[in-house]
Amino acid sequence: MQKTGLRFLLPYMRPYRRALIIGTLYAFIGAGASAYSPTWLGQAVDALNRGAPPRTLALYALGLLGLSATLALFRYLLRMLTGNIAAGITYRMSQDLFHRLLLFDRETRQRYGTGDLLARSTNDFIYIWRFYSAGFQMFMHALFLLLIGCLLMSRTSPALAVMVVVMLTVSIAVQVRLGRILERSFVQVQQEIAKLSAFAQEHLNAARMLTAYVQESAVGEAFRKANQRYVERNLKFVLQSGAISPFPSLMVRIAATVVVFVGGMMIIRQQLTVGQYVQFIVYLGLLNSGAQQITGAFERLQQGSAAAARIGELLQRWPKITDSPNAKDVELQGHIRLEDVGVWAEDQKRWVLRHINLDIPAGSSLGIVGPTGSGKSMLISLLGRIYDPDEGRVLIDGYDLRELKLSTLRRTVVYVPQESLLFSMPLRNNIALGIPYVPDARIYQAMEQARLSNDLSQLPRGLDSMVGERGATLSGGQKQRAAIARALVRNPKVLLLDDALASVDMKTAAEILHELRHSQTQCTRIIVSQRLAAVQDADQIIVLDHGRIVEQGTHESLLAQGGFYAEMYRREVEQASEERAHAKA
């Protein structure tokens, strides 16, 4: 896991190679100043014992001040540098991740879940930031401090230095060995955070329904259990980390005990001066600090590596729907043809669509009806290349959709789903989403075609009225009409309406469809609807059942056949009559 995580970070580090080299130099100078301070102090103590004059002691004091100032300056420069590196790496990595999330197909998003993706997109980056901003500079400073300190100690007393180095080596080796356990434990903590995030996101979106069914207590209890699992995982990680972290300090204290005893005996035998003895004691304090910094840096390394592995798992997943190497960018008119198209659902082990053959001339209209689960939405998803067929071909103007650039296809084919997604921004921006500098006249025209212009008077600031998150300030019908206006403002060659009038009243829906027939004559219109009234004026209508076309024709010809469509129409007329009777009563 650790190697995998660091492998994903390496490409983002390459632009900062020069900065990393400079940071290493800063760490070396700062650590060198810190490591030389005990040697300078030991020489000052020996000079004092020899009866050095005050001027000499003052020079030693100024030297210690100079070393302290050098340490402070280069630690500051290193911290600023690593902060910039952390900001740059996390910025570029988060940009890549967000772009990849937008391209993911529905199956991938469902596999991970919104909560898990949110946790990886936010919480995991905190640990990558911590690794670079604090972990790197701590590790480099501590590493050079230990190396230079041990080298200077060996010049004074090789025997004592060897004992200290052996103990520190054992300490670091144990840390590296046990660090793998910490990383696995931290991954489990991150997984529990993702589950909590998914739970909160799902239930906050359903807050009104939970209140209506008086489920607040039950949901609160379920969240408490999920939170308890997170606490247990986190506590396990903290306990493991707490058991490993004191080990370097323990080894340094053992080394201090050895130095106090052995060093004292060497002073008695006149093998070591008092200044050198003081030097060793101070070195042990510095080495203890360095060992603690190594521990902190290693913990951040484990966390950053685990977080990078979770993010890298998403970055290495490419969307199934991508441009082919020789994808074409051409002007399209909207003539659609499906040739023996089939779609296999692996999770359901069945054909969602099979043997679909259609010819939809440019500028014509097609209505698609059928029972729930018959494959209507899948068929319209193929036309927008949200999915690719497992059998057959989908063509537009003679080009297989897989031969066209996605940008070309998305510019030509505009899809309006049943669930209209609006963003927390002004209504104007929601309608003109992704199109810069749209004139107000064009926006008003699209709103008129979608019959949304009549609702402007209900909005406090007209087009500049803020639309709440997911369109919370608008009714269901207003959201659907805003989505249709967003599609129409693009002047599409192909317009796909996937039950996009389900929340619009019958009268307004009829007006919108009438407007589309007469104002969008150059646009191929494909309408999926549960209400036959929405498709009865289409140039041709198909009836889907169990993924196959069971009937095809115009409204009149299908009624004359007396089959599936005629029965659906009869039930719809009876239901409308009953509703009118209840309304009069």
Side-chain angles (χ1 to χ4, degrees), residues 34-54:
S34 180
Y36 193 69
S37 295
T39 298
W40 193 255
L41 178 63
Q43 293 175 358
V45 171
D46 285 340
L48 181 63
N49 286 334
R50 291 194 300 269

Side-chain angles (χ1 to χ4, degrees), residues 424-472:
S424 183
M425 60 175 67
L427 179 60
R428 178 199 311 278
N429 295 1
N430 269 288
I431 293 176
L433 185 68
I435 307 178
Y437 313 118
V438 180
D440 282 357
R442 180 68 193 112
I443 294 177
Y444 281 118
Q445 182 184 7
M447 292 178 65
E448 176 63 31
Q449 293 172 330
R451 292 300 184 267
L452 185 62
S453 55
N454 295 336
D455 296 82
L456 275 180
S457 59
Q458 303 175 22
L459 303 176
R461 299 179 59 191
L463 276 179
D464 294 318
S465 299
M466 285 295 296
V467 175
E469 184 180 358
R470 301 179 69 88

Side-chain angles (χ1 to χ4, degrees), residues 329-537:
D329 184 7
V330 295
E331 287 296 324
L332 301 171
Q333 300 304 313
H335 180 192
I336 296 173
R337 194 166 74 251
L338 286 81
E339 298 178 347
D340 201 32
V341 167
V343 177
W344 173 259
E346 183 63 34
D347 57 335
Q348 303 174 34
K349 302 298 181 183
R350 69 180 183 92
W351 288 96
V352 179
L353 293 173
R354 197 77 194 278
H355 301 310
I356 303 297
N357 291 280
L358 277 173
D359 194 328
I360 312 166
S364 66
S365 58
L366 171 72
I368 305 175
V369 298
T372 301
S374 59
K376 301 186 299 295
S377 292
M378 176 57 73
L379 176 55
I380 210 169
S381 296
L382 292 176
L383 301 178
R385 210 189 164 203
I386 298 173
Y387 294 98
D388 280 336
D390 296 297
E391 285 184 350
R393 297 190 303 165
V394 181
L395 302 102
I396 181 167
D397 294 349
Y399 296 100
D400 190 314
L401 297 190
R402 288 167 288 202
E403 298 174 359
L404 299 172
K405 286 188 176 181
L406 285 173
S407 58
T408 299
L409 188 63
R410 301 288 186 257
R411 187 173 64 245
T412 304
V413 181
V414 177
Y415 173 59
V416 184
Q418 179 179 356
E419 183 184 2
S420 303
L421 296 178
L422 302 179
F423 298 92
S424 183
M425 60 175 67
L427 179 60
R428 178 199 311 278
N429 295 1
N430 269 288
I431 293 176
L433 185 68
I435 307 178
Y437 313 118
V438 180
D440 282 357
R442 180 68 193 112
I443 294 177
Y444 281 118
Q445 182 184 7
M447 292 178 65
E448 176 63 31
Q449 293 172 330
R451 292 300 184 267
L452 185 62
S453 55
N454 295 336
D455 296 82
L456 275 180
S457 59
Q458 303 175 22
L459 303 176
R461 299 179 59 191
L463 276 179
D464 294 318
S465 299
M466 285 295 296
V467 175
E469 184 180 358
R470 301 179 69 88
T473 58
L474 302 180
S475 68
Q478 288 173 328
K479 285 191 286 187
Q480 285 198 327
R481 283 178 283 152
I484 294 172
R486 175 194 290 166
L488 294 177
V489 82
R490 286 161 167 72
N491 291 317
K493 292 295 183 181
V494 179
L495 178 62
L496 309 178
L497 301 178
D498 187 3
D499 215 5
L501 297 169
S503 299
V504 180
D505 63 87
M506 291 292 293
K507 178 177 179 296
T508 305
E511 292 177 359
I512 295 172
L513 292 169
H514 179 271
E515 184 70 33
L516 292 178
R517 281 194 302 274
H518 292 85
S519 65
Q520 300 290 318
T521 55
Q522 301 302 314
C523 173
T524 305
R525 303 170 305 283
I526 300 175
I527 305 167
V528 171
S529 180
Q530 297 287 351
R531 299 191 303 208
L532 301 190
V535 302
Q536 64 184 22
D537 291 325

Side-chain angles (χ1 to χ4, degrees), residues 73-283:
L73 174 62
F74 283 93
R75 284 293 296 271
Y76 169 78
L77 293 175
L78 178 60
R79 187 61 184 269
M80 294 297 293
L81 185 68
T82 54
N84 287 330
I85 294 173
I89 289 176
T90 53
Y91 173 79
R92 292 176 61 239
M93 201 172 189
S94 62
Q95 288 289 102
D96 288 349
L97 178 61
F98 185 71
H99 181 67
R100 189 63 52 83
L101 292 178
L102 293 179
L103 296 177
F104 276 163
D105 52 81
R106 190 178 303 174
E107 293 177 10
T108 303
R109 288 194 293 269
Q110 289 175 346
R111 173 183 174 181
Y112 287 97
T114 304
D116 183 65
L117 294 177
L118 285 174
R120 295 180 194 233
S121 304
T122 53
N123 195 59
D124 284 354
F125 279 103
I126 295 174
Y127 294 100
I128 294 177
W129 172 282
R130 288 182 64 200
F131 167 63
Y132 281 107
S133 65
F136 175 76
Q137 60 103 3
M138 287 170 57
F139 175 77
M140 295 306 298
H141 178 82
L143 178 64
F144 284 127
L145 181 63
L146 293 176
L147 291 176
I148 298 173
C150 291
L151 179 63
L152 291 174
M153 280 194 300
S154 65
R155 293 178 57 190
T156 303
S157 174
L160 287 178
V162 166
M163 287 188 290
V164 173
V165 168
V166 168
M167 291 183 181
L168 287 175
T169 303
V170 171
S171 170
I172 293 174
V174 170
Q175 280 184 271
V176 172
R177 183 72 177 175
L178 297 179
R180 298 172 185 171
I181 300 175
L182 277 184
E183 184 173 356
R184 288 193 294 268
S185 181
F186 181 72
V187 169
Q188 293 174 346
V189 172
Q190 294 298 90
Q191 290 171 345
E192 292 301 325
I193 291 176
K195 292 177 183 178
L196 275 180
S197 178
F199 186 96
Q201 187 265 344
E202 179 181 7
H203 288 80
L204 284 175
N205 285 339
R208 293 175 63 183
M209 184 275 290
L210 295 174
T211 302
Y213 284 87
V214 197
Q215 291 297 300
E216 296 94 335
S217 298
V219 171
E221 177 62 20
F223 183 79
R224 186 193 66 78
K225 292 179 180 178
N227 204 14
Q228 181 63 33
R229 288 193 295 271
Y230 163 68
V231 169
E232 290 171 358
R233 292 288 191 187
N234 203 20
L235 183 60
K236 178 182 176 181
F237 171 75
V238 170
L239 291 175
Q240 290 175 337
S241 178
I244 296 172
S245 298
F247 191 74
S249 296
L250 176 63
M251 297 301 292
V252 171
R253 292 179 190 280
I254 293 174
T257 303
V258 172
V259 168
V260 167
F261 176 75
V262 176
M265 296 299 296
M266 293 176 71
I267 290 176
I268 294 173
R269 296 171 183 169
Q270 296 184 348
Q271 296 174 335
L272 199 70
T273 67
V274 174
Q276 291 171 331
Y277 181 74
V278 170
Q279 173 185 336
F280 258 92
I281 297 298
V282 177
Y283 266 128

Side-chain angles (χ1 to χ4, degrees), residues 23-67:
T24 303
L25 179 62
Y26 287 164
F28 178 79
I29 295 174
S34 180
Y36 193 69
S37 295
T39 298
W40 193 255
L41 178 63
Q43 293 175 358
V45 171
D46 285 340
L48 181 63
N49 286 334
R50 291 194 300 269
R55 182 177 178 181
T56 301
L57 296 177
L59 289 175
Y60 278 113
L62 288 175
L64 289 173
L65 280 176
L67 291 172

